Structure formats: structure tokens, C-alpha cells
Amino acid sequence: MKAGLVEFSWTFVFQIVNTIILFLALRKVLFKPVSEFMQARQDGIAASMKEAEEKNKEAERRMKEYQTKLDFAEEEGREIIKEATKKAEMKASEIIKEAQKEAAKMMERAEAEIKRQNEKAMNQLKDEVASLAIMAAGKIIDKSLDEEKHHGLIKEFIDEVGDARWQN
């Protein structure tokens, strides 16, 4: 008799019993460690994802913090520039005022010098006119004057004519 692929015999029963024993032995030896390994791996992946999510949140928080600091620094920079501009304008204003004061002083000194030079020229002109008048008078009367008489005549001429007339 020809045997089929699956026959119900003691061999078949032993094969089933052996398969069940092998399954239980493998389950005890392999399935449990593999399941634990898979669970540990799954827990590790979950922990890594949670850690990555926390790090992303921390990075976003720091990015916001740095952006806030950057905005503050930009605002502070604008304030510093604004203040420096104000100080520069004030300094320029002070320099202009000082220059105007110095120019006014120079003008006053120049006017005083011009007035002094004018008075000096007028006095020289008075002396020369007086000398010419005396020389002309001396020639007219053909009289020779010594220096003392000369000065006396000049003084007398100036007193008669008056200083006010020469100042105009």
C-alpha cells in the first residue's frame, strides 16, 4: 500500500507532539527574548522620539529667545545711533556757537584796531596839517621858529580849532 503525504499514524502524532514541544521550547527560549528585545527597541525608539521632540521644543524656545535678544539688540543699536546723532548735533551746535563768539570777538578786535589806526592816522594828519600850516605861516612872515615855538604854535592851533572838528 502506498502511503500518502499525510497519514494518521503514530509518527504523525509524534510529529505533532514534537512540534508542540519545539514550539513551547522555542517560545520559552526565543520568543520571550525576541519579544523583550522588540519591546525594548520599541521603547527606545519612543524615548528617542520623545527626546527629539523635547529637543525641538527647546530649540524653538531658544530660537524665540535669541530672536527676542536680537530684536532688543537692534532696538538698542537704533537708540545708540539716535543718541550719538543727538550728541553730534549738540556738539556741532556748540562748535558753531563758539565759532560765532570767536568771530564776534575778532570783529570787535578788528573794529578796535581800525578805530585805533584811524585815531593814529587822524593825529598824524593833525600834526602834518599843523606843521604845514606853521611852515606856510613861517614862510609868509619869513620868520624862523625854533622847535619850542613850533610846538607851542601847533598846540595853540589845535586848541583854537578844537578836537571835535578833526574827528568829523
Side-chain angles (χ1 to χ4, degrees), residues 119-151:
E119 287 176 7
K120 184 178 174 182
M122 288 298 277
N123 288 335
Q124 285 177 350
L125 185 61
K126 285 180 193 176
D127 289 344
E128 287 181 26
V129 168
S131 294
L132 286 173
I134 289 178
M135 282 174 46
K139 284 200 182 223
I140 291 175
I141 56 173
D142 254 281
K143 179 177 160 187
S144 176
L145 298 173
D146 61 4
E147 192 172 319
E148 190 176 304
K149 285 182 184 179
H150 178 73
H151 284 296

Side-chain angles (χ1 to χ4, degrees), residues 72-88:
F72 178 73
E74 286 176 359
E75 183 63 32
E76 189 175 338
R78 281 190 220 106
E79 287 297 320
I80 289 171
I81 290 171
K82 188 189 255 185
E83 230 174 275
T85 303
K86 283 182 183 177
K87 285 181 182 178

Side-chain angles (χ1 to χ4, degrees), residues 4-20:
L5 191 57
V6 177
E7 288 184 22
F8 291 108
S9 68
W10 286 104
T11 308
F12 181 69
V13 174
F14 283 123
Q15 283 179 349
I16 290 180
V17 171
N18 280 337
T19 303
I20 292 173

